Amino acid sequence: MTSIQDLFAHNRAWAAQMERERPGFFTGLMAQQKPRYMWIGCSDSRVPANQITGLEPGEIFVHRNVANVVVPTDLNCLSTIQYAVDQLHVEHLMVVGHYGCGGVLAALNDIRVGLADNWIRHVKDVRDKHLGLIAAVAPEHRHDALCELNAIEQVVNIAQTTVLQDAWASGQKVTLHGWCYGLKDGLINNLNMSVDSNEGLDVRYQAAVAGVAAARR
């Protein structure tokens, strides 16, 4: 089993390797932070944003929480979004759910996990909103369907924040995306929930939800 001291050893080996292969890499990182992307994902340790997308440190701004939820009462998440949009001027903001998400499974099956039940209530709201769609999906695929629906709903939540409303009103180009990552194959599934303004938001949302219902699993 890896010990804490092993982590320090790995860190020093990695830093030395980076400096050998790319002299001045860390000096460059200190000089600026200009990511084009923001990733809002689950805290699950199996879903590392940089590795999945092939991006390096400094190229993607990340916020993670249980089940990749965005709600207007979470000032931590909203502050991160505001900084990314207003200060870093990211061009793309992705909400990335993942198949096999424990938080989503708890919401789907009313599994008690502790204090996090209060947070997972937001995912239960998504479940309840789409009960008919989920019931029409084969039982073995309902977990996947709710993971997708949850990501889509969080895109809508972000679109409705004052941060995005103000950014779009000022003409800033920021596009929101809803994705779902597969633990079994390492691939990102584009849920076709991409929006860059208020115009057409509902149409895009309805089409994305319909895509979940029609998906061959």
Side-chain angles (χ1 to χ4, degrees):
M1 181 177 294
T2 302
S3 71
I4 290 296
Q5 291 305 315
D6 290 332
L7 300 186
F8 282 102
H10 295 329
N11 166 252
R12 282 158 175 72
W14 170 76
Q17 180 182 353
M18 290 297 293
E19 194 60 33
R20 283 195 307 271
E21 296 176 353
R22 300 172 61 179
F25 175 78
F26 295 107
T27 303
L29 281 183
M30 289 178 60
Q32 64 179 3
Q33 180 181 205
K34 294 184 178 179
R36 294 177 56 202
Y37 310 100
M38 179 176 182
W39 171 292
I40 297 180
C42 182
S43 297
D44 193 300
S45 61
R46 300 167 295 177
V47 190
N50 286 75
Q51 288 93 324
I52 289 170
T53 54
L55 296 175
E56 296 186 346
E59 293 186 323
I60 189 166
F61 200 61
V62 178
H63 178 83
R64 300 170 70 173
N65 60 50
V66 174
N68 45 272
V69 169
V70 180
V71 289
T73 53
D74 182 3
L75 297 185
N76 182 358
C77 182
L78 294 188
S79 296
T80 309
I81 293 172
Q82 184 271 325
Y83 188 84
V85 173
D86 292 352
Q87 301 298 318
L88 300 178
H89 303 289
V90 297
E91 300 172 18
H92 300 275
L93 195 163
M94 301 86 72
V95 178
V96 188
H98 70 96
Y99 301 111
C101 179
V104 172
L105 182 64
L108 179 66
N109 295 331
D110 287 314
I111 300 170
R112 290 293 304 274
V113 297
L115 182 61
D117 296 333
N118 300 281
W119 181 254
I120 292 169
R121 177 66 251 180
H122 297 299
V123 186
K124 289 186 178 182
D125 290 341
V126 175
R127 177 202 64 186
D128 295 347
K129 183 176 181 179
H130 298 284
L131 277 179
L133 188 161
I134 294 170
V137 174
E140 65 269 25
H141 298 308
R142 289 173 184 168
H143 187 191
D144 287 352
L146 184 54
C147 289
E148 295 171 356
L149 291 167
N150 184 52
I152 291 168
E153 291 290 346
Q154 305 316 315
V155 171
V156 175
N157 289 348
I158 297 174
Q160 295 173 341
T161 63
T162 55
V163 177
L164 267 297
Q165 290 295 305
D166 291 346
W168 286 338
S170 69
Q172 187 173 345
K173 294 183 178 180
V174 186
T175 304
L176 310 180
H177 307 273
W179 298 348
C180 212
Y181 171 72
L183 294 174
K184 65 181 180 181
D185 56 16
L187 300 178
I188 296 172
N189 180 17
N190 184 355
L191 302 176
N192 297 310
M193 182 60 193
S194 295
V195 294
D196 58 8
S197 69
N198 291 312
E199 184 177 352
L201 173 60
D202 187 61
V203 172
R204 179 68 67 179
Y205 166 75
Q206 297 296 340
V209 171
V212 175
R216 294 185 178 181
R217 304 180 187 278

